[in-house]
Amino acid sequence: MDGTPFKTIDHMLMKLYYIYHKSPKKLAELKSLCEIMKDMFEFDTGSVKPKKACGTRWVSFKLAAMQLFLDKFGVYMSHLETLVAERSKGYEEISGYLRKWKTPHMLMYVAFFTDVLTPPAILCKVFQKEGIDIVTATSAIEKSQKKLQSLTEKDVKCLPTVESVIRKVEHNGDKISYQGIELSSANYDTALASINSKKNGIVDEVVRNMSSRLNQDTNSVPIMQKAALVLNTESWQAAANVRGNSKSSDHEQEINEEVFNAEISELFDHFRSALEKAGVTCTCQQIVDEWEDMFTYTLNFLHPAKNSYKKTWKLLFHSSYTTTKWASILTLIELLFCIPVSNAKLERMFSKLKRTKTDFRCSLGEARLTNLLRIMEEGPPVGSFDVRPVVNLWAQKKVRRGNQSKRKAYKKQKTNRSESTHYVCSSSSSESSVDTDADDDRAANEQWWIDNFESDSESAEEFEGFFRS
């Protein structure tokens, strides 16, 4: 969002993060100050260290950094004022940033952008989920755009986060403070007026960026949206324009079978080459006829409006007509479900690659590395994996060390070390007790040597004579 105050906010949040990231001492002082101030103010989050908002494309990261800044604003400003007063290292730079952080414009713009970026952050998390398809993605995009458009209809003081910040602002005569930090009253009113005048333009800029990021064409309905209309069985009942007597049975109702015929024809022409490679040789009219038959059957017997679209398609794919009457149309539907709508899964693969091919396993070959990544991504959970077939296959593949002779079984040695007791006598013990303990210890050691060398008579006699002497 170039040309908006968000670029300045992003830069200031980055500076605040690195002040404490590079100094454990400052971070420890910040945590101690937070423990003191938590009884004075109500904090929503337990984290104290500023979050990193730079170096990432995920909107949720920047949103979390701004929410933490608003929640711990008084803690950060109080500690930075202490650093400047003590003239600690880098206090000149901190003093310059502190003057900007304490302005009402910075505080209110952070609250405003928190409200603006909440819908895109929710959309961002939806695209990070596993198993996302066209229907879920299209629905999430539409909801985010509606929420953003609703912001243009509200006054800036009615936005949730801005309203929460305004409610926490304390008015003491001509002075205004937020979490104990004094703000300029004149600049405070000016900041709200400035945000209110630029609100609609900033929201429109966010919507345009979302559209360009998702490659949406506003002049014509894209292929993705048409595919979503076809796959979303929950909206078929409303789109079919069911007519007839409400008291009649479902089989007697008149249904508009030509619903979505134009979309099916365009999707078939768009994916014709891929369908031909999959073995679909029918014409466009034939696949439209299959669609009308499947559409009528679904509305009459499966009640798609009462079930989720995934459950309805599961019933259709397991129907007896799957390989006979609806083979071509279900191949097209399967292709639509396979269209990728997010690259989050690919980015996770790079993380898995980094965890697999470490510095200690840098000699992994391409084939084995590919197999390991495929097992990590598509394999069963470790708890449900049965290793016995793999071990049997490994053992039957070839004879391993077939010529190796059986290892010699060594006789276990007898020992009485646990039975021998060593005594430590104090200086106050009598000489008779010391002599008795020494004799007992000598006898135990003598018996141990005799027992261990009883198989060798000469050695036993030699050691026995040694102890006797």
Side-chain angles (χ1 to χ4, degrees):
M1 291 185 289
D2 295 336
T4 64
F6 181 76
K7 191 172 183 180
T8 304
I9 293 174
D10 192 25
H11 176 72
M12 298 297 289
L13 291 175
M14 179 191 67
K15 291 297 182 181
L16 182 63
Y17 167 78
Y18 280 111
I19 286 176
Y20 295 101
H21 178 69
K22 296 182 178 181
S23 177
K25 179 183 176 182
K26 294 178 183 177
L27 181 59
E29 295 174 354
L30 182 68
K31 292 180 179 180
S32 300
L33 181 61
C34 182
E35 289 294 325
I36 298 173
M37 298 182 65
K38 70 179 182 180
D39 298 331
M40 303 169 56
F41 306 103
E42 295 181 359
F43 297 137
D44 298 330
T45 58
S47 179
V48 180
K49 181 181 178 181
K51 294 184 180 295
K52 185 177 181 181
C54 58
T56 177
R57 294 185 295 115
W58 299 117
V59 184
S60 56
F61 283 45
K62 298 184 181 297
L63 181 63
M66 291 190 294
Q67 290 174 342
L68 184 61
F69 176 80
L70 292 175
D71 188 47
K72 303 292 191 306
F73 179 82
V75 180
Y76 297 143
M77 298 303 107
S78 298
H79 184 247
L80 293 177
E81 288 175 351
T82 304
L83 294 178
V84 173
E86 294 177 352
R87 294 181 174 269
S88 59
K89 183 179 179 181
Y91 77 94
E92 300 92 344
E93 183 180 8
I94 295 176
S95 177
Y97 288 123
L98 184 60
R99 286 194 296 270
K100 296 181 180 179
W101 278 320
K102 292 174 62 176
T103 58
H105 283 78
M106 176 64 66
L107 179 65
M108 302 311 299
Y109 265 111
V110 170
F112 169 69
F113 278 107
T114 300
D115 289 321
V116 172
L117 294 183
T118 297
I122 297 175
L123 177 64
C124 179
K125 291 183 178 180
V126 171
F127 274 86
Q128 294 180 47
K129 293 181 179 179
E130 292 284 349
I132 183 176
D133 52 33
I134 297 178
V135 180
T136 306
T138 306
S139 176
I141 293 172
E142 292 176 355
K143 290 180 181 179
S144 299
Q145 291 178 342
K146 289 181 180 179
K147 289 182 179 180
L148 287 172
Q149 291 298 332
S150 66
L151 296 179
T152 60
E153 302 173 0
K154 298 179 180 179
D155 187 77
V156 66
K157 296 182 180 180
C158 297
L159 301 181
T161 308
V162 177
E163 184 180 5
S164 176
V165 171
I166 293 175
R167 189 168 57 251
K168 294 179 181 179
V169 171
E170 299 178 357
H171 297 266
N172 298 321
D174 297 336
K175 297 182 179 180
I176 294 178
S177 62
Y178 178 77
Q179 291 188 353
I181 304 301
E182 185 177 344
L183 305 175
S184 174
S185 58
N187 293 337
Y188 174 77
D189 297 332
T190 305
L192 290 176
S194 175
I195 296 173
N196 205 20
S197 62
K198 298 179 181 179
K199 174 172 62 68
N200 293 346
I202 293 175
V203 173
D204 293 339
E205 181 69 18
V206 174
V207 174
R208 282 195 298 269
N209 290 338
M210 285 179 54
S211 301
S212 61
R213 182 70 180 86
L214 299 171
N215 296 324
Q216 292 185 352
D217 187 4
T218 57
N219 297 324
S220 62
V221 180
I223 293 295
M224 298 286 285
Q225 291 186 354
K226 292 184 178 181
L229 290 174
V230 173
L231 296 179
N232 188 11
T233 59
E234 299 173 20
S235 63
W236 285 5
Q237 195 76 33
N241 190 19
V242 179
R243 299 186 302 271
N245 188 3
S246 59
K247 297 183 180 180
S248 61
S249 62
D250 292 341
H251 300 279
E252 297 176 354
Q253 290 181 348
E254 183 180 356
I255 298 175
N256 184 9
E257 299 177 350
E258 298 181 357
V259 175
F260 302 136
N261 283 4
E263 286 80 1
I264 293 294
S265 300
E266 187 170 348
L267 291 172
F268 177 77
D269 294 335
H270 185 81
F271 296 104
R272 184 185 294 272
S273 59
L275 292 173
E276 290 177 353
K277 293 180 181 179
V280 177
T281 58
C282 65
T283 62
C284 182
Q285 184 58 41
Q286 290 174 341
I287 204 168
V288 169
D289 294 339
E290 290 185 11
W291 161 257
E292 291 179 354
D293 184 65
M294 185 183 68
F295 184 79
T296 305
Y297 174 86
T298 304
L299 292 181
N300 287 335
F301 299 104
L302 300 183
H303 307 288
K306 299 180 181 179
N307 302 318
S308 66
Y309 69 96
K310 292 184 179 180
K311 181 178 180 180
T312 303
W313 282 116
K314 184 178 181 180
L315 295 174
L316 290 173
F317 274 103
H318 288 81
S319 173
S320 58
Y321 301 132
T322 301
T323 58
T324 55
K325 296 172 62 176
W326 306 332
S328 300
I329 186 62
L330 287 180
T331 303
L332 175 61
I333 296 300
E334 186 177 3
L335 177 62
L336 296 180
F337 271 115
C338 293
I339 296 176
V341 294
S342 173
N343 62 346
K345 191 171 184 178
L346 298 178
E347 293 185 1
R348 292 192 187 99
M349 288 299 297
F350 285 103
S351 300
K352 292 178 181 178
L353 174 63
K354 186 177 180 180
R355 291 195 300 266
T356 303
K357 192 168 184 179
T358 60
D359 295 338
F360 298 100
R361 306 181 71 185
C362 58
S363 60
L364 280 176
E366 181 180 353
R368 176 160 294 187
L369 182 61
T370 302
N371 293 336
L372 291 174
L373 292 176
R374 182 167 295 174
I375 291 172
M376 293 175 63
E377 181 64 27
E378 303 175 358
V382 178
S384 62
F385 179 68
D386 187 8
V387 299
R388 287 174 293 183
V390 180
V391 174
N392 294 335
L393 180 63
W394 177 81
Q396 296 173 4
K397 190 174 182 180
K398 66 178 181 178
V399 179
R400 302 182 183 276
R401 297 185 179 183
N403 298 327
Q404 183 178 5
S405 59
K406 190 176 180 180
R407 298 185 65 179
K408 180 180 178 181
Y410 295 97
K411 183 179 178 180
K412 187 177 180 181
Q413 295 183 353
K414 297 181 180 180
T415 177
N416 294 328
R417 291 183 179 178
S418 60
E419 299 177 1
S420 60
T421 307
H422 302 277
Y423 298 93
V424 179
C425 301
S426 61
S427 57
S428 61
S429 302
S430 61
E431 295 182 0
S432 60
S433 62
V434 173
D435 295 339
T436 302
D437 295 339
D439 293 340
D440 293 341
D441 194 15
R442 188 182 300 108
N445 291 333
E446 176 184 351
Q447 185 62 37
W448 183 84
W449 283 101
I450 293 173
D451 292 342
N452 283 275
F453 291 94
E454 61 183 358
S455 59
D456 191 349
S457 59
E458 295 181 359
S459 299
E461 293 176 358
E462 181 180 352
F463 282 107
E464 185 178 2
F466 171 77
F467 282 106
R468 292 289 183 265
S469 61

